[in-house]
Amino acid sequence: MCCISTISTYINNRLDIKFNRLGHKVHHFCHVTLALFTCNGCGVGFPTPDMQRRHMKTDWHRYNLKRRVATLPPISAEIFAERVLQQMDATRKNEEKLSIGGGNKKTLRHHKAPSSVATLSVAGDDLDSVIEDESIDLAGPSVEYVASNAARGVDGEDEDEDIDSIIERKLRSAVKLPLSACIFCSAQNFRDVDDSLAHMQHDHGLFIPERNYLVDLKGLVEYLSEKVSIGNACLYCSFIGRSLNSVRDHMIAKQHCKIPYDTEDDQLEISNFYDFSSSYPDDYEEEDDWDDVASGDESPDDDGSTVQVAGGQRQRRTETNLVLDPTGLELSLPLSRLRIGHRSLARYYRQSLRPTTELREGQGTVIAASSRQILATVPRDPIKDRLTKKEWRDQRDKQNRDIRREQRYINQQKHYRDPMLGG
Amino acid sequence: MSLQEIVVDGEQSSDTKNSLISLDSPISLKYVAAGRIAQSVLSYLVREVTEQRITNVYDICHTGDSLIESETNKIYKNVDEKGAASPTTVDINNCVRGYSPINRDSAYVLSNGDIVKISLGVHIDGYTSLVSHTLIALPTIPRTEQVSPTTGVLADDICAAHLATEAVISLLGTVLYRYENQSGYFGNRPVNGERIREIVESVAQTFQVKIVPGSSVRRIKRFLVGQDTVHELDVKGYAWGSISIEAMTDDPDEGDLKKMIDTEAAAEPGEAWLVDISMCTFSGVESDLNKKNSLQVSRRTLKPHRDLKPTIFTRDYNRNLSMKLKSARGVLIELDNRKSVYPFHLNSLNTPGAPLGVAALVNAEIVAPTTVMMIQGSPAPVAARERTTILLMPSAKHIGEVVRLGGCDIKPSWVHSEFEVIHPEIVELLSDKRAGVRLRNVQGTDLNVVKDDIQEMEL
């Protein structure tokens, strides 16, 4: 076929057909010094099989395969890269054109088409359209990916992308989402943030947690929109889309148009926009863990340290003079006048004893005199107890040893028993 | 091991609370004060009964309790635990102990010729005086008429009880000195439980009466006067039957008695003793049946009363249980806060639903009832009881004296018995000289009792 002939001519051109002493045709691969492992579809060769395999996985190779299917000649890496760039530009323009319109389903569907075209580099699903119209500009975002990949495919670099390259790619393809635009759909005609938030709540079910403690609403919305538009990340799960549209589709389809707030990590993620200090109890004194190392101009008080935080925030006092009990089981906090018991005594702190009734003289006398019950027992001598227990233990061990020792001798017979005589 | 240690230690430490040094010491003063009140109330009640001003038993008991309460409240204001050491009980004829009715309507009304045993007790800060007196309820006799004294078994009964008590008191008093011109009776042998037993049993034999189980002559201590619920370890003296009537056996030498009471230990100066002797008549039939110890009423005849339910209870402080019943809990709280270790009467509880609560407590054995005991037989036997508390008061300079807390100077009923004490030892003890024992009686005061007050108290 065409390709094969191309390939064969290629190889023939490269090969010097020599004749040996015997006059047989010998294919002498003198010109092809580094290309032992080839890709016939793309017309390239690699020195190592690894590089060949890596090349097979690239988009460029796949694109060439499709071209072969469409009975087109293969293209080189550079031309492919150019084409991808062009396609990127084209799709961006298309997107901008389409997003100006209202956010209804038709546009959505419409939206879908260019998105799939735009992502030709990754999936290569609708490559037909590209192949048909070779002048179509290829999507931008994937260009560098492909080019770099192709280059890498030849050079033999790692196929896995660096995080940096991902970030760069994302940044480049970031669609600037205005503040009063809907994060989840392409609706943009809102007057202000509240309006768009209302739309998001009504149509997509977005609920902003702890609204009354929220200080920076705009910041939160900006953060969320950046998360979606630049990072293409789903708010609720760990899905990362290829583009804004992809992640939007995911969020809508999976009903992930919500801000996660269940785990502590989720809460911490958006905690910057909240201020919960009004919910703290009155005598709450925060531990000032986050003192700046630089600010060394704190004047320590007598008992603790009173830090004047700039900005008129509440005074935070830390407990510094902690006093440990001689037994080592109790810690006294001077500031809060608390006493902390060691956890090894936790079972005793948790005990709830029957309240002891104070005995009057008569009762005490009667109980003490009675033979049935004694009020005050002889106090246990711990040393004596230990010795007694040790004795018991030793005795028990000795018994065990004796039993085991006996086992060795149970078969020993004192008196000879002649087997003949019935022993 | 440990038990003995504690007991011994306790003994040594509480000796300071129990030993009597002199009449001026605070302990003695409290005893004397208790004795005075006991004597006063007892003599008042006896007077009221003999002059037939009170005939309903409930009235007698109620009056006695109220008087004790009011009198003890007047003195020793700083002492918390004081009051009645035993509710006033009135036992008639064959009833031996524990009868104190709860309401007036169902109470027994005295009739002529009844043998009435009035018992009561007073304690101040644990120092107790228990007294009992037997009298015959007879119509008032004008002086002009000459009437013969009561004779017969009733007379024997009363005489025996009275004389036995007196003899024992004298005997105990002999420990206070060395009888110089002894005729060999007192100085040689220690005055211990066995000795006391001999004396009392010989008197009983002389008058042909039987000793009722539950009688005892024993040393008492602060708060420990032989309550049912307290099982003291070392008790001096002698008890017929058993310390605890419930644990009684026919043979006094068996089991409980040996463990509970030390009959070998001698009385010593500085101790307080309780002399409680009940004698009862017996019919000829019964004496044949019980040959082993014919001087003691057998268990088959001394029984809980068929009809009379116990109304006096004692809290057993060795047991502590949380009760489910609300009234039981209320009663327990009241007992632990207000009542002491002595028996209390059901009427003295203020908790609502007290009878129900107390019944539950009795079931749980937190509270022990004082069963009303009676002696069965035909013809119905009659029991007489005399009870006194005495202090063996030592003295450095001269011979010590026996201080009798109550039960003295009450005119005994006019009886005449045909029997007479023969035994020389006892004769000497009973003589006016009392074998050299100095006896001091705690006198009662005339109580200005206003009838209206009593009725107010009733309400």
Side-chain angles (χ1 to χ4, degrees):
Chain A
M1 310 231 284
C2 190
C3 354
I4 296 168
S5 61
T6 337
I7 293 161
S8 55
T9 45
Y10 171 74
I11 291 171
N12 282 331
N13 290 332
R14 299 287 289 220
L15 291 174
D16 273 341
I17 300 169
K18 298 272 188 209
F19 293 94
N20 63 4
R21 281 183 298 116
L22 302 172
H24 293 289
K25 271 193 188 172
V26 172
H27 294 267
H28 190 54
F29 295 94
C30 59
H31 286 286
V32 187
T33 46
L34 297 163
L36 285 166
F37 302 89
T38 58
C39 172
N40 292 328
C42 310
V44 288
F46 309 97
T48 66
D50 273 331
M51 286 163 65
Q52 185 197 39
R53 273 184 233 121
R54 256 183 260 130
H55 162 77
M56 294 301 176
K57 291 175 197 168
T58 64
D59 296 327
W60 172 41
H61 176 70
R62 275 189 224 137
Y63 181 62
N64 274 331
L65 287 173
K66 287 182 182 164
R67 278 181 71 90
R68 206 184 348 166
V69 165
T71 64
L72 290 169
I75 55 170
S76 73
E78 292 89 2
I79 301 167
F80 180 68
E82 278 173 31
R83 291 208 179 167
V84 165
L85 266 165
Q86 285 168 12
Q87 180 70 2
M88 253 175 60
D89 288 330
T91 37
R92 204 187 292 130
K93 282 184 200 149
N94 276 341
E95 266 188 17
E96 282 176 10
K97 260 191 247 164
L98 289 163
S99 61
I100 291 167
N104 49 11
K105 287 191 181 167
K106 280 193 184 165
T107 343
L108 220 63
R109 244 182 269 125
H110 239 277
H111 217 190
K112 218 174 181 202
S115 75
S116 51
V117 171
T119 56
L120 104 111
S121 58
V122 180
D125 285 326
D126 296 320
L127 227 46
D128 305 336
S129 52
V130 183
I131 297 164
E132 281 162 16
D133 189 1
E134 291 194 15
S135 62
I136 286 177
D137 299 322
L138 300 170
S142 16
V143 162
E144 206 185 70
Y145 166 81
V146 175
S148 60
N149 211 21
R152 276 205 226 107
V154 177
D155 295 338
E157 268 182 57
D158 202 344
E159 193 229 10
D160 297 15
E161 293 180 280
D162 294 324
I163 294 171
D164 293 330
S165 60
I166 297 174
I167 291 171
E168 278 178 75
R169 173 168 63 99
K170 291 282 186 195
L171 279 168
R172 276 183 209 219
S173 66
V175 179
K176 179 77 179 139
L177 216 57
L179 210 59
S180 59
C182 176
I183 299 171
F184 308 107
C185 64
S186 49
Q188 273 190 340
N189 56 345
F190 301 106
R191 265 169 285 133
D192 58 357
V193 182
D194 294 319
D195 221 11
S196 64
L197 274 178
H199 152 77
M200 281 193 268
Q201 184 182 335
H202 186 264
D203 282 336
H204 305 296
L206 177 76
F207 171 75
I208 296 181
E210 303 282 2
R211 198 66 189 268
N212 23 342
Y213 291 107
L214 187 63
V215 200
D216 188 11
L217 177 66
K218 286 196 176 166
L220 177 66
V221 175
E222 203 178 312
Y223 173 77
L224 296 174
S225 74
E226 273 183 12
K227 206 174 168 188
V228 174
S229 60
I230 298 176
N232 294 335
C234 170
L235 293 179
Y236 198 68
C237 69
S238 57
F239 174 85
I240 308 262
R242 280 164 252 132
S243 73
L244 174 65
N245 294 323
S246 146
V247 69
R248 272 181 173 170
D249 292 339
H250 160 86
M251 285 201 282
I252 287 165
K254 285 222 166 184
Q255 297 184 343
H256 282 181
C257 303
K258 35 190 172 178
I259 301 171
Y261 204 69
D262 296 321
T263 69
E264 198 165 333
D265 288 337
D266 296 332
Q267 293 169 9
L268 281 171
E269 202 181 322
I270 51 171
S271 60
N272 286 335
F273 309 106
Y274 290 85
D275 178 26
F276 289 102
S277 53
S278 59
S279 70
Y280 299 153
D282 287 332
D283 53 5
Y284 174 81
E285 289 171 21
E286 296 166 43
E287 283 249 356
D288 208 353
D289 284 327
W290 315 108
D291 269 340
D292 281 336
V293 182
S295 61
D297 48 352
E298 304 164 358
S299 51
D301 273 357
D302 291 327
D303 44 13
S305 65
T306 317
V307 180
Q308 298 281 348
V309 181
Q313 282 181 8
R314 141 213 299 250
Q315 275 188 2
R316 291 160 169 216
R317 288 187 281 165
T318 47
E319 298 263 15
T320 49
N321 291 351
L322 305 176
V323 179
L324 189 65
D325 195 59
T327 60
L329 296 168
E330 220 176 65
L331 198 67
S332 307
L333 308 180
L335 264 184
S336 39
R337 293 182 300 278
L338 285 175
R339 280 226 185 141
I340 304 170
H342 195 265
R343 63 170 66 206
S344 56
L345 302 177
R347 69 205 304 249
Y348 303 110
Y349 301 139
R350 269 183 243 128
Q351 278 178 342
S352 53
L353 302 164
R354 177 188 283 203
T356 50
T357 47
E358 278 208 22
L359 288 170
R360 291 185 296 167
E361 291 240 36
Q363 298 162 2
T365 319
V366 160
I367 290 171
S370 176
S371 57
R372 276 185 276 165
Q373 196 170 330
I374 311 155
L375 251 188
T377 48
V378 178
R380 299 185 78 98
D381 184 11
I383 299 161
K384 212 172 171 193
D385 275 348
R386 230 180 293 143
L387 287 172
T388 325
K389 288 207 172 138
K390 186 175 184 300
E391 254 182 64
W392 293 342
R393 242 183 295 126
D394 290 340
Q395 204 176 24
R396 192 174 19 114
D397 291 339
K398 184 175 176 298
Q399 275 182 355
N400 288 340
R401 262 183 275 128
D402 287 341
I403 290 168
R404 287 191 166 188
R405 200 178 297 136
E406 272 181 11
Q407 300 292 326
R408 288 188 234 154
Y409 305 114
I410 48 173
N411 279 330
Q412 284 183 5
Q413 294 164 9
K414 252 184 166 176
H415 308 286
Y416 176 68
R417 292 144 138 201
D418 192 12
M420 274 256 273
L421 300 172
Chain B
M1 174 264 293
S2 53
L3 182 63
Q4 291 303 321
E5 271 180 73
I6 280 114
V7 167
V8 167
D9 287 342
E11 186 66 43
Q12 286 165 2
S13 66
S14 69
D15 255 351
T16 50
K17 291 183 210 159
N18 285 313
S19 62
L20 306 158
I21 308 156
S22 74
L23 259 181
D24 302 326
S25 67
I27 297 172
S28 320
L29 288 177
K30 286 177 186 167
Y31 267 122
V32 166
R36 187 171 296 125
I37 295 172
Q39 174 67 16
S40 321
V41 178
L42 183 66
S43 55
Y44 174 80
L45 287 176
V46 165
R47 211 165 40 241
E48 294 294 294
V49 169
T50 48
E51 293 171 21
Q52 291 197 316
R53 282 195 283 262
I54 310 179
T55 46
N56 192 313
V57 170
Y58 175 82
D59 289 333
I60 303 172
C61 297
H62 189 86
T63 319
D65 289 335
S66 323
L67 282 174
I68 293 172
E69 175 103 16
S70 59
E71 288 299 310
T72 50
N73 279 337
K74 286 180 197 170
I75 57 170
Y76 281 99
K77 293 272 162 75
N78 59 336
V79 170
D80 177 43
E81 293 193 70
K82 60 183 181 201
S86 143
T88 317
T89 57
V90 177
D91 306 306
I92 323 283
N93 298 335
N94 66 342
C95 180
V96 174
R97 67 160 196 170
Y99 179 58
S100 178
I102 32 172
N103 48 28
R104 200 159 184 276
D105 304 323
S106 60
Y108 184 87
V109 177
L110 296 175
S111 51
N112 285 339
D114 280 341
I115 301 249
V116 181
K117 303 168 277 290
I118 305 173
S119 318
L120 51 92
V122 182
H123 83 101
I124 290 171
D125 205 15
Y127 299 107
T128 331
S129 162
L130 297 164
V131 283
S132 250
H133 184 70
T134 312
L135 55 97
I136 307 179
L138 282 174
T140 42
I141 311 155
R143 283 179 195 277
T144 49
E145 283 182 43
Q146 190 127 42
V147 177
S148 56
T150 322
T151 55
V153 284
L154 286 176
D156 301 336
D157 220 0
I158 293 173
C159 285
H162 178 80
L163 292 173
T165 322
E166 296 291 323
V168 169
I169 290 170
S170 302
L171 180 66
L172 288 171
T174 58
V175 300
L176 288 169
Y177 63 96
R178 291 230 168 269
Y179 191 50
E180 285 165 7
N181 301 325
Q182 59 186 341
S183 36
Y185 292 126
F186 306 114
N188 292 339
R189 294 153 63 203
V191 176
N192 58 10
E194 287 298 329
R195 196 94 184 274
I196 295 165
R197 180 192 184 179
E198 281 173 24
I199 303 256
V200 176
E201 285 185 355
S202 86
V203 172
Q205 204 163 37
T206 319
F207 283 86
Q208 292 191 3
V209 285
K210 279 194 173 217
I211 304 168
V212 178
S215 316
S216 63
V217 179
R218 51 165 288 167
R219 184 204 168 177
I220 59 169
K221 289 184 191 170
R222 187 186 183 207
F223 290 118
L224 305 166
V225 291
Q227 295 105 317
D228 287 340
T229 53
V230 180
H231 292 250
E232 260 183 285
L233 287 175
D234 44 293
V235 185
K236 284 193 215 178
Y238 193 82
W240 284 264
S242 169
I243 294 264
S244 151
I245 284 191
E246 271 72 26
M248 223 162 32
T249 55
D250 282 340
D251 186 358
D253 290 331
E254 267 179 31
D256 281 330
L257 189 58
K258 282 277 187 214
K259 280 185 239 162
M260 285 188 183
I261 195 162
D262 184 8
T263 53
E264 299 295 321
E268 276 164 38
E271 290 177 354
W273 279 70
L274 174 69
V275 181
D276 179 9
I277 294 167
S278 308
M279 304 280 196
C280 91
T281 61
F282 60 90
S283 56
V285 181
E286 199 220 279
S287 61
D288 294 327
L289 291 169
N290 190 5
K291 289 227 174 89
K292 202 169 175 187
N293 187 356
S294 56
L295 282 169
Q296 193 176 290
V297 175
S298 74
R299 198 163 173 223
R300 273 182 293 119
T301 52
L302 178 66
K303 292 181 174 183
H305 203 284
R306 271 192 312 263
D307 311 313
L308 300 173
K309 294 273 182 291
T311 57
I312 300 170
F313 302 91
T314 324
R315 166 94 162 89
D316 186 356
Y317 280 99
N318 293 311
R319 284 174 150 270
N320 276 304
L321 282 178
S322 44
M323 302 299 296
K324 220 173 167 187
L325 207 57
K326 192 173 170 189
S327 52
R329 273 183 274 136
V331 168
L332 254 186
I333 290 166
E334 190 182 346
L335 290 180
D336 291 345
N337 290 337
R338 287 182 37 217
K339 296 284 176 193
S340 189
V341 297
Y342 294 100
F344 60 91
H345 195 264
L346 198 54
N347 281 347
S348 62
L349 295 174
N350 293 331
T351 324
L356 183 61
V358 169
L361 290 171
V362 166
N363 247 342
E365 294 180 19
I366 297 174
V367 153
T370 306
T371 3
V372 181
M373 297 300 243
M374 68 171 198
I375 307 173
Q376 258 185 351
S378 63
V382 169
R385 183 186 195 184
E386 289 290 335
R387 178 166 78 164
T388 343
T389 317
I390 59 168
L391 306 178
L392 301 174
M393 197 67 69
S395 175
K397 290 181 199 166
H398 40 262
I399 302 169
E401 56 192 8
V402 175
V403 180
R404 185 171 176 175
L405 310 173
C408 46
D409 286 351
I410 298 177
K411 198 170 161 195
S413 307
W414 196 13
V415 292
H416 177 78
S417 172
E418 57 193 35
F419 301 106
E420 245 185 80
V421 177
I422 308 164
H423 197 287
E425 195 179 75
I426 306 175
V427 167
E428 195 162 351
L429 287 173
L430 289 172
S431 65
D432 285 338
K433 273 169 100 182
R434 285 179 180 271
V437 174
R438 282 171 55 170
L439 184 64
R440 182 196 283 257
N441 291 322
V442 170
Q443 301 295 334
T445 55
D446 277 329
L447 303 171
N448 296 326
V449 180
V450 185
K451 288 284 180 173
D452 299 332
D453 288 344
I454 298 170
Q455 272 158 12
E456 269 175 34
M457 281 184 242
E458 267 184 39
L459 291 167

